[in-house]
Amino acid sequence: MMRRTKKERQQLLTSTIKDNPFITDEDLAEKFQVSVQTIRLDRLELSIPELRERIKTVAEKRFEDEVRSLPLEEVIGEIIDIDLDQSAISIFDVKEEHVFKRNNIARGHHVFAQANSLAVAVINDELALTAKANIQFKRSVKLEERVIAKARVTNIDERVGRTFVEVNSFVNNELVFTGEFEMYRSKNS
Amino acid sequence: MMRRTKKERQQLLTSTIKDNPFITDEDLAEKFQVSVQTIRLDRLELSIPELRERIKTVAEKRFEDEVRSLPLEEVIGEIIDIDLDQSAISIFDVKEEHVFKRNNIARGHHVFAQANSLAVAVINDELALTAKANIQFKRSVKLEERVIAKARVTNIDERVGRTFVEVNSFVNNELVFTGEFEMYRSKNS
DNA sequence: CGAGATCTTATGACTAGGTACTAAGAGTAG
DNA sequence: CTACTCTTAGTACCTAGTCATAAGATCTCG
């Protein structure tokens, strides 16, 4: 990498560290063909902390996320109330990653995912799977809105091992989504 | 904390570090009322790395996740062929994060998300939203399976601004999911 | 051209949180 | 009593820095 002016170097330094916080001053010095001291002065001016501090903050973030990121993969929405085989309620806050960038409207599958997760959760069975669903999006959900989904078990057909769940989702008491789920359950109830 | 036998201490040490990897040997020594050297011998025996290495691995894990969790939020499935307002095909590989741990069956909303994403994508409009959907899961999809979703536009109703899309998803040519989507489109076609 | 300002590099003292190694004392079991 | 485990202590060394001071290099303006 060629030598550049201070300003250029500092800009590059900032972005370099941003997308690889694990780089040492020594490596940076080599990359920018300056001395280690220059790198340290730069970091001082830009108030970029040292390697170990940077790593620590990344690690800490991960630790905070641990609680928050698992539910994202697992169950969508936070279940706040549940009465097995009867009803359940969950909330889901629409964040940036859930919306179309263009218009800040939530992608339908996230709203569906919340309802589907809730329908699975309300069933008192180790193995519950969605067999069919009939859904309607009543109005679009936008960034920062809080969706409250309410599930209600309408019918349990033990002979064929099917449970029917109705899920209605609201934003500020306004219906945004409604769905009827036909769920498969293994056997026990 | 009272003094304990070596074995007890080492067990506690392991679990203590596991749920707080940010603790120093000095703090541990105080916690267990032994010398710092004892703690270090313990870590050596248990092959628990030093604080800075522990923090680093936590941070690295977080960094790996960053790549893996982003595609999950955006468009689900990789679109491999598209003919706007006609048809489209996408593939989706079922990974660990998509399945129920208990039985390795994919959560329904991921399969739905792929179909929904495809239904949105096939429409030649900046703003396409799902209005209604009628879906059926024909058989369960398992870990490591590759789902191929095929979307076909069946009808475009320009007066009311609705487009009907049929999506069928297959694993090894076997139908696993089918859905009819009624999509809202802004105006232009 | 030269003086001052800015930038860069070097050097030394010190830090946290260790590793690796040697040595010595305490307690226990055979 | 001896052998062994366990614990503690101390030393040298390491990385990846901070902080402060000093001196050389470049640039800029009058």
Side-chain angles (χ1 to χ4, degrees):
Chain A
M1 184 169 287
M2 243 195 58
R3 286 192 75 119
R4 293 176 157 82
T5 68
K6 193 183 176 181
K7 234 177 181 170
E8 279 184 298
R9 189 190 56 236
Q10 291 197 344
Q11 283 191 332
L12 270 168
L13 189 79
T14 310
S15 62
T16 302
I17 291 177
K18 196 171 180 181
D19 66 55
N20 176 22
F22 300 88
I23 194 165
T24 62
D25 286 0
E26 216 179 314
D27 291 349
L28 287 163
E30 204 179 319
K31 188 180 166 85
F32 294 109
Q33 292 283 53
V34 292
S35 72
V36 174
Q37 283 72 15
T38 303
I39 296 294
R40 292 189 175 156
L41 271 173
D42 285 348
R43 280 201 298 98
L44 196 71
E45 280 182 40
L46 302 165
S47 23
I48 297 170
E50 63 168 281
L51 168 67
R52 286 173 301 222
E53 285 306 310
R54 294 194 305 260
I55 291 182
K56 207 176 160 188
T57 45
V58 171
E60 277 164 352
K61 259 186 227 158
R62 152 124 187 154
F63 231 66
E64 290 165 25
D65 283 3
E66 208 109 284
V67 197
R68 189 169 45 189
S69 87
L70 268 178
L72 233 151
E73 331 274 9
E74 269 294 310
V75 180
I76 280 63
E78 192 188 345
I79 293 166
I80 53 169
D81 185 54
I82 193 156
D83 185 0
L84 286 172
D85 277 337
Q86 295 291 320
S87 63
I89 297 176
S90 84
I91 58 176
F92 170 59
D93 290 313
V94 178
K95 303 269 171 63
E96 289 222 13
E97 61 264 38
H98 307 121
V99 301
F100 290 95
K101 285 192 203 89
R102 208 182 292 279
N103 49 29
N104 282 343
I105 292 178
R107 289 176 178 272
H109 54 253
H110 288 114
V111 177
F112 172 82
Q114 179 192 16
N116 185 60
S117 291
L118 195 62
V120 170
V122 75
I123 291 175
N124 185 16
D125 195 312
E126 302 227 324
L127 184 108
L129 297 173
T130 311
K132 292 184 194 171
N134 205 318
I135 60 179
Q136 281 184 56
F137 295 87
K138 293 297 193 180
R139 86 144 167 84
S140 53
V141 178
K142 304 211 178 59
L143 185 61
E144 302 296 339
E145 287 187 326
R146 165 166 290 187
V147 184
I148 298 175
K150 299 182 183 176
R152 193 169 60 84
V153 174
T154 53
N155 184 22
I156 301 179
D157 190 332
E158 299 222 20
R159 289 160 308 163
V160 290
R162 293 293 161 101
T163 301
F164 296 83
V165 183
E166 185 186 293
V167 181
N168 291 304
S169 299
F170 303 85
V171 171
N172 296 326
N173 284 322
E174 189 185 349
L175 187 69
V176 294
F177 169 94
T178 179
E180 280 172 53
F181 291 79
E182 183 178 329
M183 310 296 290
Y184 169 82
R185 68 192 306 161
S186 55
K187 38 193 164 280
N188 69 310
S189 69
Chain B
M1 184 169 289
M2 241 195 60
R3 285 191 76 120
R4 293 177 156 83
T5 68
K6 195 184 174 181
K7 233 177 182 172
E8 279 185 298
R9 189 189 56 236
Q10 292 196 344
Q11 284 192 330
L12 271 167
L13 189 76
T14 310
S15 62
T16 303
I17 291 178
K18 195 172 179 180
D19 67 56
N20 176 22
F22 300 87
I23 195 165
T24 62
D25 287 358
E26 215 180 314
D27 291 349
L28 287 163
E30 205 178 321
K31 187 180 167 87
F32 294 109
Q33 292 284 54
V34 291
S35 72
V36 175
Q37 283 73 13
T38 303
I39 296 293
R40 293 189 175 156
L41 272 173
D42 285 348
R43 279 201 298 101
L44 197 69
E45 280 182 40
L46 302 165
S47 24
I48 296 170
E50 61 167 283
L51 168 66
R52 287 173 301 221
E53 286 305 310
R54 295 196 303 262
I55 289 181
K56 207 175 158 188
T57 45
V58 171
E60 276 163 353
K61 262 186 223 156
R62 152 127 187 153
F63 232 67
E64 288 165 25
D65 283 3
E66 213 113 281
V67 195
R68 194 169 43 191
S69 77
L70 268 177
L72 235 149
E73 333 279 8
E74 266 296 310
V75 176
I76 281 66
E78 192 189 343
I79 293 167
I80 53 169
D81 184 55
I82 192 158
D83 184 1
L84 286 173
D85 277 338
Q86 295 293 319
S87 63
I89 298 176
S90 83
I91 58 176
F92 170 61
D93 291 312
V94 178
K95 304 267 170 64
E96 289 222 13
E97 61 265 36
H98 307 122
V99 302
F100 291 97
K101 284 193 203 89
R102 207 180 291 279
N103 49 28
N104 283 341
I105 292 178
R107 290 179 176 269
H109 53 252
H110 288 114
V111 177
F112 172 81
Q114 179 192 17
N116 185 60
S117 291
L118 195 62
V120 170
V122 75
I123 291 175
N124 184 16
D125 195 313
E126 301 227 325
L127 184 108
L129 297 173
T130 312
K132 292 184 192 171
N134 205 319
I135 60 180
Q136 281 184 54
F137 294 87
K138 294 297 191 179
R139 86 144 167 85
S140 54
V141 178
K142 304 215 178 56
L143 184 62
E144 302 296 340
E145 287 186 328
R146 165 166 291 187
V147 184
I148 297 175
K150 299 183 184 177
R152 193 169 59 84
V153 175
T154 53
N155 184 19
I156 301 180
D157 190 331
E158 299 222 21
R159 288 160 309 163
V160 289
R162 295 291 162 100
T163 300
F164 295 83
V165 182
E166 185 186 293
V167 181
N168 291 304
S169 299
F170 304 85
V171 171
N172 295 326
N173 285 319
E174 191 185 347
L175 188 69
V176 294
F177 170 93
T178 180
E180 280 171 53
F181 292 80
E182 183 178 330
M183 310 297 290
Y184 169 83
R185 66 194 307 161
S186 54
K187 39 196 164 276
N188 68 310
S189 69

